[in-house]
C-alpha cells in the first residue's frame, strides 16, 4: 500500500514539474507565450515560469519548415542557457543568457538563430516567409525536460494573397491586405527583380501587405525568364505602374511610396525625385543614393522616351553632385547602410552625403548599422540569409530597426 501511495505521489510531482500541457495558471514550470498562433513578421514574447531560483535551464527551439514544393524542409534548431533569477521567471525579452548563439537579452534570438541539421544557413524566402512554420520549444534542467510548447508562426501566403498583373504594359504581383480597413491606405511600388530572373521584392511586398499596406511588386526589367540580361529600366513602365497602383480600391493616391533595396534602392529614389507629383515617400536601404550606370559595360540605368537619364560611372566617388536631389521628395525617406556590406563597401558614405542633400525631416530615418552585412534590409525574426556570427546579431538588430522605421514612415499623414 505504501509503495503504491509513494508511486502515486511521485507521478503527481512529475506531472506538476512538467506542467507543459496544462491550462494557463496550472502549477509547475511552464512556457507562456504572448500569442499563439503568431505572425512570422512580428515578434512573440516567451516566458518560462515557476522555476526554482538559482539553477540553470536550457531553452531549445526546433523548427520544421516546409520546402517550396511542400515537402519537409528538414529540422532547424537553436538553444540558449539561462540562470534562473530569484523571481523564478526566465523572460526571454529581459534575461541575458549565459550561453547562446546570440548576445544580450533577445526574445526572438532562438528564432532567428536557427540552423539546419548540418549547420547551414536559411536561404529560401518561401520556406522562411511564405509558409507557416511550426516551432517546438522546450526547457531542460539537468538533462530532463520540464516544460514544452508547440508554436505556430503564420506565414505570409495565408494573410497576404497576391494576384498577377499584366495591365498597361506592366508585369508584377499585387499584394492586397486580406483584412479590410476603413480609410484608404498608403500603398507601395516595390522594385522587384532588380537582377534578371531574381524576384527580390516579393518577400518585401508580401510583408508590407501583411502589415496592412497594398504593394505592387513590379517586375522591373520585364517578365521573369526572358532571354538575355536587361539592365535598363524604361521610365514609362514605372509611371504606368504608379498610375495603376494609385487607381486601386482602398489605396490613398496621395500617399504612394516607392520601395527598393540594394540595386533597386537607386531606382526607388530616382522615381521619387523625378515624379513627386505621383510619389509621396521613398524607402531605399542598402544601395546608392545616386543613379549609377550599369556595369561592366556602361549603359543607361533609366531611359525616358528611349533617351538616357544621366547616371554616374561607378560607386567609388561620392559627391553631392552624384547624389539625387532627395529634397524634392515631399514625404518621408527611409535610408540605411551596413558597415560590413560585402556588395557596397561605401554604402554609409552614400547615405551620409544624402543626409547633406536632405537633412532628416519628420518621418525620415537614416539607419546606420556599422557591424551589419548587406541583407540587413530583409524582414526580421527569421534566420533568412543571416550571416554567421559575429555579424548575425548586428544584422538582425539592424533589420528590427529598419522595419520599425518603415512602419513609422508609412504612418506619417500625407498632405
Amino acid at each position: 500500500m505504501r509503495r503504491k501511495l509513494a508511486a502515486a505521489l511521485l507521478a503527481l510531482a512529475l506531472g506538476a514539474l512538467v506542467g507543459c500541457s496544462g491550462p494557463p495558471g496550472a502549477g509547475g514550470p511552464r512556457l507562456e507565450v504572448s500569442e499563439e498562433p503568431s505572425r512570422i513578421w512580428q515578434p512573440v514574447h516567451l516566458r518560462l515560469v515557476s522555476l526554482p531560483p538559482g539553477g540553470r535551464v536550457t531553452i531549445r527551439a526546433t523548427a520544421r519548415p516546409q520546402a517550396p514544393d511542400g515537402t519537409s524542409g528538414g529540422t532547424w534548431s537553436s538553444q540558449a542557457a539561462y540562470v534562473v533569477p530569484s523571481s523564478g521567471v526566465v523572460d526571454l525579452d529581459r534575461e541575458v543568457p549565459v550561453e547562446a548563439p546570440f548576445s544580450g537579452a533577445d526574445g526572438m534570438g532562438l528564432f532567428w538563430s536557427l540552423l539546419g541539421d548540418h549547420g547551414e544557413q536559411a536561404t529560401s524566402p518561401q520556406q522562411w516567409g511564405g509558409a507557416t512554420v511550426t516551432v517546438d520549444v522546450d526547457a531542460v534542467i539537468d538533462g530532463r525536460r520540464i516544460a514544452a510548447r508547440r508554436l505556430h508562426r503564420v506565414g505570409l501566403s495565408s494573410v497576404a494573397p497576391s494576384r498577377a498583373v499584366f495591365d498597361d504594359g506592366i508585369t508584377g504581383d499585387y499584394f492586397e491586405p486580406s483584412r479590410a480597413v476603413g480609410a484608404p491606405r498608403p500603398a507601395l511600388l516595390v522594385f522587384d527583380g532588380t537582377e534578371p530572373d531574381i524576384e527580390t521584392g516579393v518577400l518585401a511586398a508580401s510583408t508590407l501587405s501583411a502589415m496592412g499596406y497594398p504593394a505592387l511588386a513590379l517586375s522591373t526589367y520585364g517578365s521573369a525568364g526572358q532571354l538575355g540580361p536587361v539592365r535598363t529600366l524604361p521610365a514609362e513602365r514605372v509611371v504606368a505602374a504608379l498610375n495603376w497602383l494609385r487607381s486601386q480600391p482602398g489605396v490613398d493616391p496621395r500617399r504612394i511610396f516607392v520601395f527598393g533595396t540594394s540595386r533597386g534602392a537607386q531606382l526607388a529614389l530616382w522615381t521619387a525625385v523625378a515624379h513627386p507629383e505621383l510619389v509621396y515617400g521613398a524607402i531605399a536601404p542598402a544601395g546608392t543614393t545616386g543613379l549609377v550606370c550599369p556595369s561592366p559595360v556602361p549603359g543607361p540605368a533609366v531611359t525616358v522616351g528611349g533617351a538616357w537619364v544621366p547616371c554616374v560611372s561607378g560607386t567609388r566617388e561620392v559627391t553631392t553632385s552624384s547624389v539625387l536631389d532627395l529634397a524634392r521628395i515631399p514625404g518621408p525617406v527611409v535610408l540605411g547602410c551596413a558597415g560590413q556590406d560585402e556588395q557596397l563597401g561605401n554604402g554609409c558614405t552614400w547615405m551620409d552625403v544624402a543626409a547633406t542633400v536632405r537633412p532628416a525631416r519628420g518621418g525620415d530615418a537614416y539607419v546606420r548599422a556599422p557591424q551589419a552585412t548587406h541583407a540587413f534590409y530583409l524582414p526580421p525574426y527569421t534566420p533568412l540569409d543571416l550571416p554567421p556570427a559575429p555579424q548575425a546579431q548586428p544584422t538582425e538588430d539592424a533589420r528590427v530597426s529598419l522595419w520599425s522605421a518603415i512602419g513609422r514612415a508609412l504612418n506619417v499623414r500625407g498632405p
Side-chain angles (χ1 to χ4, degrees):
M1 183 67 180
R2 290 181 179 178
R3 289 182 179 179
K4 291 183 179 180
L5 179 60
L9 292 173
L10 178 60
L12 288 173
L14 288 174
L17 181 63
V18 174
C20 60
S21 302
R30 63 193 181 277
L31 283 157
E32 296 181 343
V33 60
S34 61
E35 186 178 3
E36 169 53 31
S38 57
R39 301 164 180 174
I40 203 166
W41 65 96
Q42 292 179 340
V44 66
H45 306 288
L46 278 172
R47 302 194 319 157
L48 181 60
V49 303
S50 299
L51 294 171
R56 175 169 167 146
V57 60
T58 297
I59 304 178
R60 307 180 301 196
T62 305
R64 295 174 180 84
Q66 286 188 346
D69 61 2
T71 61
S72 172
T75 301
W76 299 70
S77 59
S78 179
Q79 67 178 40
Y82 297 85
V83 173
V84 181
S86 59
S87 64
V89 176
V90 176
D91 186 330
L92 271 63
D93 289 338
R94 299 176 180 273
E95 299 300 326
V96 176
V98 293
E99 184 179 337
F102 52 91
S103 59
D106 189 335
M108 293 301 293
L110 287 173
F111 294 81
W112 62 255
S113 65
L114 290 164
L115 292 176
D117 291 325
H118 306 290
E120 65 268 27
Q121 309 289 129
T123 58
S124 169
Q126 295 85 359
Q127 189 172 339
W128 291 102
T132 295
V133 178
T134 299
V135 183
D136 289 313
V137 182
D138 63 5
V140 176
I141 293 179
D142 294 330
R144 183 178 186 179
R145 190 173 73 166
I146 60 163
R149 185 147 188 177
R150 172 163 287 184
L151 309 181
H152 299 86
R153 301 284 285 161
V154 177
L156 295 165
S157 59
S158 60
V159 295
S162 68
R163 59 184 171 93
V165 177
F166 303 99
D167 298 338
D168 300 325
I170 62 175
T171 304
D173 294 285
Y174 184 53
F175 294 83
E176 190 172 7
S178 57
R179 290 179 298 171
V181 293
R185 299 284 284 164
L188 299 100
L189 176 64
V190 178
F191 289 91
D192 190 20
T194 50
E195 291 295 333
D197 299 332
I198 300 177
E199 298 181 351
T200 55
V202 167
L203 177 61
S206 57
T207 302
L208 292 162
S209 176
M211 292 166 60
Y213 304 101
L216 172 62
L218 175 67
S219 297
T220 308
Y221 296 109
S223 300
Q226 64 188 14
L227 296 176
V230 178
R231 299 182 181 276
T232 300
L233 175 64
E236 292 77 12
R237 184 178 296 154
V238 178
V239 173
L242 288 170
N243 286 327
W244 184 92
L245 182 58
R246 286 161 53 91
S247 69
Q248 298 309 300
V251 168
D252 185 348
R254 301 169 302 169
R255 289 196 289 165
I256 301 296
F257 284 73
V258 286
F259 185 112
T261 61
S262 192
R263 186 164 176 250
Q266 62 172 335
L267 302 179
L269 292 175
W270 178 85
T271 301
V273 169
H275 295 284
E277 77 283 4
L278 299 177
V279 177
Y280 178 58
I283 300 165
T288 62
T289 51
L291 198 60
V292 178
C293 304
S295 60
V297 179
V302 180
T303 58
V304 175
W308 281 42
V309 171
C311 51
V312 298
S313 179
T315 62
R316 292 185 179 181
E317 298 297 326
V318 188
T319 64
T320 54
S321 62
S322 60
V323 169
L324 293 159
D325 186 6
L326 304 184
R328 287 174 52 83
I329 303 174
V333 171
V334 178
L335 302 177
C337 69
Q340 304 298 315
D341 194 317
E342 64 275 23
Q343 296 189 28
L344 183 66
N346 63 346
C348 288
T349 302
W350 279 99
M351 190 178 77
D352 289 342
V353 176
T356 67
V357 173
R358 179 192 168 106
R361 305 174 187 170
D364 286 1
Y366 296 165
V367 178
R368 179 183 295 273
Q371 300 303 316
T373 54
H374 182 74
F376 78 96
Y377 52 77
L378 293 178
Y381 311 127
T382 78
L384 181 62
D385 285 333
L386 277 172
Q391 277 79 37
Q393 179 83 58
T395 301
E396 171 65 15
D397 291 344
R399 292 178 178 183
V400 174
S401 297
L402 177 66
W403 279 83
S404 296
I406 291 171
R408 290 191 298 270
L410 292 173
N411 279 317
V412 172
R413 296 299 301 178

